[in-house]
Every structure is written in C-alpha cells, then in structure tokens.
Amino acid sequence: MESGCKSNRAQLRRGLCFSDADRSEASSRTVIVIGGGMAGIAAARTLHDASFQVVLLESRDRLGGRVHTNYSFGFPIDLGASWLHGVCQENPLAPLIGRLGLPLYRTSGDNSVLYDHDLESYALFDMDGNQVPQELVTKIGVTFETILKETEKVREENAEDMSIFRALTIVFERRPELRLEGLSHKVLQWYLCRMEGWFAADADTISLKSWDQEELLPGGHGLMVRGYLPVINTLAKGLDIRLSHRVTNIVRRNNGVKVTTENGRTFVADAAVVAVPLGVLKARTINFEPRLPDWKEEAIKDLGVGIENKIVLHFEEVFWPNVEFLGVVAETSYSCSYFLNLHKATGHSVLVYMPAGQLAKDIEKMSDEAAANFAFMQLKKILPEASDPIQYLVSRWGSDINSLGSYSYDTVGKSHDLYERLRIPVDNLFFAGEATSTSYPGSVHGAFSTGLMAAEDCRMRVLERYGELDLFQPVMGEDALVSVPLLISRM
C-alpha cells in the first residue's frame, strides 16, 4: 500500500490520489467535480482557469449529462436539451454561443411563456386528421391565458397550496363559460399538454403557488441548430476528465474530501463540487459521510423531477406541412401530442415526438421499437399517408440511472426556496445543477450559471483556507466577458 502511494506521489501533490493517503501531504489547491453535465463542466472549467488542480468524475462514457447530441443519423440530433431559452445577450450562455458562431433557429418570440413555438407556425389536427382552423387555435389560446389569470385569483384567495389542475377545476366551477366543449375543449387540452411539457410533469402535481416563479429571459426560444455538444466540448477542452467513474461515496473532513467511485478508485482534494442530477440525489446512489443536514435532504426529497423524452423519427423525404410544430388535439392532455419539425430549422427530414409526464413514463416501459411505433401511430392519425421512418432514436431520461429524470419543477405544497437550499454549500461540498437554480430551474443556462456560482464559492472557500484569498481576482478571464452577436434565423 505504501509503495503504491509513493508511485502516485505526483498525483498526491496535485491533491488527487487513488488511495486513502492523508490529504495533508498535498499543498496545491485541489477540487473534485462530480458530474460532467453543463453545470459540472462549467464549474471545472472555471476552477481550472483560476489555476486550481481539478479532476472531473463522470459516470457515463460521454460528457454532457442531459445534454446529449447524437450523430448516428449523420447529422446532430439533441436527445436532451436542445433550446436556448431566452435568446438575448443577458443569457449567461449567450457570450459563449456567440463566440463559437453556433446558429440558433428562433422558434418563438418574447410573448411565448408556456410553450416554445409560434402559433402562426403550428398546425394542429384532430384524431381524424382534420386540421384545426388557425382562428380557433388563436381564440382558444386567448381563453387559456384568461384561465391562467383566473388561477392567480385562486392562488391569492387560498393560503394553502394546490395543484394547477385543482385550480383549473375551481376556475371552471366559478366561470362555466370557460369550460369548453367539442373541438374547442380538445384544443384547450392541447394547451394544457404543452404547459405540462414545459415542466415535464402532469398538472395535478405542479404547484399553483410556485409554477411561475422562474425568471423568463427575453428573446423567446432558440433551437441549437448544430446541437449543444460544441458548447460542452469547448468548455471541457484541456480538463482532467475521468469517464465511466460513477461516484458511490463522498466523505467530507476538516482537511478536505475523499471521493470513492464504483470501480474502487479513491480521490482526495480540498473540496468537491457535486453537480449530479436531482434524480440521482433522490435515489441516494451516492452515500455522504457524514450524512447531509436535514434541510439539505428535505430539499432533495421535496423538489420535483419530471420526465420529457424524445422519439426521433428520420424519414426518406418530407411529407408534412412546412411548420415548426405539428400537434394532435384530444379529449385529455394525456392523449394530446406534438412533434417538432427539424426540417424547418435544419433541413433534415426529421420529426421529434416529445411525450412528457405520465405519458413519458408509460412509453419508457416499451422497447425502443415499440416506442418509435407508438410515436409513428400518433403521426399517422393526423397524416394517414405518412411513410415509414428509415431510422429512429429514443431517449429514456426517467429510467437512465445516470439521470433518473429530465429536469426539476415545483411540487404542490413545497416552497420555491428549495432550489436555493439545494444550492447552499455544506462545509467543503458545493452544489450545482439546474435544480439548484432559483431563477432558471430546468434550463441549460440555469445549470451553467450554477456551475459558475459553485466554482466561485469553492474558490473563495479554498483560498481562504490557504490564506490566499484575493477578492479582486477574477474567476474567469477577460475573454469570457466579450459578447459576440448571436446568429439567429427565422427562415
């Protein structure tokens, strides 16, 4: 054992050793980042650029986490995050995306809050394949906004929280004229379906008091035409990254942290940034010694994590309308569906079916082939002459042990402050990820910004320990502050 540690003396001086060696032998500033998604890579990049010795441990055999750009079709397809929500220079990711020259296809303007599309570029159909008149879609959209305003009154009148679904029921009881019938009812259910898709959860689980607490940046929503992977790869360049290193145990001590992985390797450092998905924290697949404080464990337990998947269908040629989204209206939000038309944004003959909430959970019980066939059958309902897909891809964020969910949301009866509680450090453990963002939960830029915050908190804590704290030292270089205009198309 002693000789093994001597052979790793160079690593030990950097604060990283595959042994139980005492951390006091190391003298440099060292951090372990756990999780190679956007938050973890942002934290590792920032600390590396601040002259820290950093190792990033990622359980998957790839980087990106819930950012996953797939190239099996011969062109990029994002199976996870694919939008920049808030196409504006105020977005924390905008400077980086602008400098990389990555194009965005804007799928909505500033007036889009609950659904990432423009209604004028949307085609809705009923189950018989009849297209819903655009005038009716627009009219029901106004009605839906009225209903949501009525739910605000319900919220103000009730001290106790309730679900969005319960609030809608109360609104319909008070104003029966808003309870629509026939085709109008089906279109209204489709709007509710899109709202559920925004949170990746069903309306009967979403908090009335907190559902609209996130900060919505201006500029609408922009689809990453070339995928998010170039952003991940740029941030990861030059970092010490260990793939297929699933963390199972984190021990925090007065003089540092010790992290053990599933393959038996041990890493020690001054501090650690925990940037794993909320679903993984909920599953307790990582053991903390000593255990996390009660307030931290309660935040992990009480925050919701939803599921939204993608079933990508690649066709030989385009046979659908030249709109950004295709939708199917139905009697219930569960039976409604929608497809993203990637051809309009990228030129590739691809439709992406996007089930969320309980529907996504149910589809995850199917094989990939059955799931793809289910999505195709939804398409055949509105386009009976649709040709068979030549390829397909299916995401499974809910059952993937590396994610166990898509992104966080506010559950009934729980405070929006839980996001902040999840972010607050515990000794020399710092937390990052979309579920730690009070302002931008569930978003890539939210994950990115929390990675920067965790890195700064970690930097200051470690430097303070070494007596080297300089409050005027920037974390990131001046280049990071240079803004380059975003490349946005609407054609």
Side-chain angles (χ1 to χ4, degrees):
M1 188 70 176
E2 181 180 355
S3 61
C5 189
K6 285 181 179 178
S7 68
N8 283 310
R9 189 59 56 84
Q11 285 181 314
L12 182 59
R13 281 196 292 271
R14 293 183 302 165
L16 308 168
C17 183
F18 306 137
S19 74
D20 293 330
D22 192 286
R23 175 64 192 86
S24 61
E25 293 185 44
S27 59
S28 58
R29 299 162 297 182
T30 57
V31 177
I32 301 166
V33 175
I34 303 167
M38 180 61 77
I41 292 176
R45 172 84 270 152
T46 301
L47 288 164
H48 176 274
D49 291 350
S51 300
F52 277 59
Q53 296 289 340
V54 182
V55 64
L56 188 153
L57 307 177
E58 165 55 41
S59 61
R60 290 184 171 93
D61 60 0
R62 63 169 179 82
L63 282 177
R66 286 165 286 174
V67 170
H68 183 196
T69 307
N70 184 288
Y71 290 88
S72 62
F73 290 174
F75 47 85
I77 295 288
D78 273 326
L79 288 177
S82 55
W83 271 276
L84 180 70
H85 295 298
V87 183
C88 60
Q89 294 300 332
E90 295 90 342
N91 191 303
L93 271 174
L96 177 56
I97 291 173
R99 286 202 313 277
L100 293 175
L102 296 173
L104 293 165
Y105 180 88
R106 195 197 301 271
T107 57
S108 74
D110 284 347
N111 62 339
S112 179
V113 177
L114 295 172
Y115 31 85
D116 39 39
H117 59 79
D118 280 343
L119 290 180
E120 64 268 20
S121 188
Y122 209 94
L124 299 187
F125 298 81
D126 64 19
M127 290 287 193
D128 297 322
N130 302 310
Q131 185 166 353
V132 180
Q134 190 61 54
E135 300 77 18
L136 180 61
V137 177
T138 303
K139 178 183 176 181
I140 303 305
V142 174
T143 301
F144 187 60
E145 292 179 5
T146 300
I147 292 171
L148 290 180
K149 290 179 181 178
E150 290 295 316
T151 65
E152 292 179 12
K153 298 178 183 178
V154 175
R155 175 166 59 184
E156 293 169 358
E157 296 167 0
N158 290 270
E160 292 188 4
D161 194 13
M162 67 181 71
S163 70
I164 285 287
F165 184 82
R166 174 57 183 155
L168 293 176
T169 302
I170 293 174
V171 169
F172 291 140
E173 291 172 351
R174 291 179 176 180
R175 297 190 56 182
E177 75 275 11
L178 295 176
R179 188 191 295 273
L180 307 178
E181 297 180 351
L183 184 59
S184 295
H185 167 76
K186 295 176 182 178
V187 175
L188 184 62
Q189 289 298 308
W190 178 84
Y191 273 102
L192 180 59
C193 170
R194 283 303 302 126
M195 181 180 184
E196 292 174 327
W198 180 265
F199 296 101
D202 298 313
D204 60 358
T205 68
I206 302 169
S207 166
L208 174 65
K209 286 192 178 297
S210 300
W211 72 270
D212 57 353
Q213 295 303 299
E214 64 180 291
E215 180 180 340
L216 297 170
L217 294 172
H221 312 286
L223 191 71
M224 297 288 290
V225 175
R226 296 179 189 166
Y228 257 115
L229 187 59
V231 178
I232 296 293
N233 287 341
T234 297
L235 291 171
K237 188 176 296 184
L239 298 180
D240 182 0
I241 296 170
R242 315 293 177 91
L243 299 178
S244 301
H245 278 59
R246 187 185 312 281
V247 170
T248 56
N249 200 65
I250 301 173
V251 179
R252 65 182 193 276
R253 305 180 290 195
N254 291 333
N255 63 338
V257 296
K258 181 174 72 171
V259 175
T260 305
T261 60
E262 193 174 57
N263 55 17
R265 294 182 175 179
T266 298
F267 300 79
V268 293
D270 293 306
V273 175
V274 180
V276 301
L278 174 60
V280 173
L281 291 175
K282 282 179 173 292
R284 296 177 177 266
T285 55
I286 299 176
N287 180 56
F288 291 87
E289 298 181 30
R291 60 179 286 243
L292 295 173
D294 290 343
W295 56 266
K296 177 71 77 172
E297 290 192 343
E298 288 174 4
I300 293 171
K301 178 176 67 73
D302 291 342
L303 272 174
V305 57
I307 302 175
E308 182 176 46
N309 280 315
K310 292 183 178 180
I311 301 175
V312 186
L313 304 177
H314 183 203
F315 297 91
E316 190 73 48
E317 58 184 9
V318 175
F319 52 79
W320 53 86
N322 187 33
V323 293
E324 287 155 10
F325 281 82
L326 299 170
V328 181
V329 303
E331 288 290 341
T332 64
S333 62
Y334 178 91
S335 300
C336 293
S337 58
Y338 46 93
F339 293 82
L340 168 66
N341 172 21
L342 285 186
H343 182 263
K344 193 166 177 62
T346 68
H348 300 296
S349 52
V350 170
L351 293 175
V352 184
Y353 179 66
M354 300 170 66
Q358 186 59 49
L359 178 59
K361 294 177 184 178
D362 291 342
I363 292 176
E364 282 202 5
K365 299 173 185 176
M366 305 177 184
S367 66
D368 283 3
E369 181 180 4
N373 187 61
F374 179 88
F376 183 59
M377 288 300 101
Q378 303 307 303
L379 183 64
K380 291 273 285 186
K381 290 177 182 177
I382 61 177
L383 300 173
E385 304 303 318
S387 59
D388 292 340
I390 56 176
Q391 291 175 298
Y392 59 82
L393 292 167
V394 180
S395 72
R396 297 179 176 278
W397 297 111
S399 53
D400 184 340
I401 61 172
N402 302 295
S403 56
L404 298 175
S406 296
Y407 42 86
S408 58
Y409 72 98
D410 292 278
T411 56
V412 179
K414 307 302 178 182
S415 170
H416 190 72
D417 294 339
L418 292 175
Y419 292 99
E420 178 64 15
R421 291 189 211 170
L422 190 55
R423 189 193 70 81
I424 294 173
V426 176
D427 299 328
N428 47 7
L429 293 184
F430 301 84
F431 294 81
E434 55 83 15
T436 69
S437 175
T438 302
S439 299
Y440 313 120
S443 69
V444 182
H445 64 275
F448 178 75
S449 62
T450 63
L452 302 185
M453 287 190 290
E456 172 64 356
D457 289 344
C458 180
R459 180 188 77 91
M460 294 183 68
R461 181 77 59 86
V462 172
L463 291 183
E464 182 181 30
R465 174 188 167 193
Y466 281 101
E468 300 173 358
L469 183 60
D470 180 0
L471 294 178
F472 299 100
Q473 176 186 351
V475 178
M476 303 185 72
E478 293 182 0
D479 290 345
L481 303 177
V482 178
S483 293
V484 177
L486 294 169
L487 301 177
I488 306 166
S489 71
R490 196 70 178 85
M491 300 298 291

